[in-house]
Amino acid sequence: MSLNETLEDILKENALEKAEGSDGIILRERQAKMAVQVIHCPEPVTAIRLGKFSHLSVLKDGPRKQQCDYLLIVQRNGIIHAVFIELKKTLTQEERPKEQLRRSRPFLAYLLSVCEIESERSIARTRLTYIIIAEKRNERLDKQRVKIGPSRISLEQYRKIKIATIVGTTVSLADLTNS
């Protein structure tokens, strides 16, 4: 049984975002009333809603209990990709979405441990990717006269992790796993 099959076997239905036919997977942020479509998904993809999880109750409240919106597990070219995704309606420079991505890593470690016990085999090393997907850029006007348009995907280093930022409502699976 593959890692994706094991995850889908052990997780409750409401923790998973299912593919919608050949259209790929739609990731939703219900509070912000936004949706992002992940297209071109030929490989097995398991989209896990981390909002259905919570950190251990013995942890003190505060920033350490933050979490991102989704964790995608993708097996591509023999490599397991774990893609942490935070959805934002409007892209800003605040640090909170970056912290939500960084603080979500324990969920992956826990899920992989459960899958290893369930399948009775070790799981190969996983490649981690952190992504913020925003529907639009900050609405403030740019008063510069001449400016080259920004790239659709930008990268930044934040506290020892590399975070990709994508602006748009449709993204290919390749963009998520190659960042």
Side-chain angles (χ1 to χ4, degrees), residues 2 28 34 39 48 71 76 84 112 158-159 172 177:
S2 73
R28 292 177 174 80
M34 74 173 282
I39 58 172
I48 303 167
L71 169 60
R76 186 168 205 219
F84 294 96
L112 292 179
Y158 177 78
R159 294 191 176 185
S172 77
T177 57

Side-chain angles (χ1 to χ4, degrees), residues 74-179:
V74 181
Q75 294 188 44
R76 186 168 205 219
N77 301 327
I79 300 170
I80 297 171
H81 296 265
V83 183
F84 294 96
I85 298 175
E86 176 60 24
L87 301 176
K88 300 302 287 177
K89 187 80 167 173
T90 304
L91 187 62
T92 63
Q93 292 301 315
E94 68 178 321
E95 287 192 9
R96 188 168 189 270
K98 299 168 192 170
E99 274 300 307
Q100 288 174 281
L101 290 169
R102 193 171 82 92
R103 300 289 184 159
S104 297
R105 195 166 165 189
F107 294 111
L108 174 65
Y110 177 75
L111 287 172
L112 292 179
S113 293
V114 172
C115 288
E116 284 181 339
I117 292 168
E118 187 70 21
S119 65
E120 296 182 352
R121 63 181 174 86
S122 63
I123 295 172
R125 188 173 164 96
T126 306
R127 181 176 174 201
L128 305 180
T129 306
Y130 303 89
I131 299 180
I132 297 172
I133 303 176
E135 193 172 89
K136 59 187 174 183
R137 293 193 184 279
N138 195 334
E139 295 177 340
R140 293 184 182 198
L141 293 175
D142 189 349
K143 297 181 182 180
Q144 295 179 10
R145 285 186 169 188
V146 179
K147 187 174 182 180
I148 298 171
S151 164
R152 184 170 134 73
I153 301 175
S154 61
L155 296 172
E156 90 176 85
Q157 193 73 24
Y158 177 78
R159 294 191 176 185
K160 299 183 182 180
I161 63 171
K162 184 170 68 171
I163 298 175
T165 301
I166 300 173
V167 177
T169 56
T170 303
V171 63
S172 77
L173 182 62
D175 287 341
L176 298 178
T177 57
N178 289 334
S179 297

Side-chain angles (χ1 to χ4, degrees), residues 55-67 103:
H55 283 282
L56 294 173
S57 61
V58 296
L59 290 178
K60 292 180 181 177
D61 288 337
R64 67 184 56 85
K65 284 195 167 184
Q66 295 182 60
Q67 64 195 48
R103 300 289 184 159

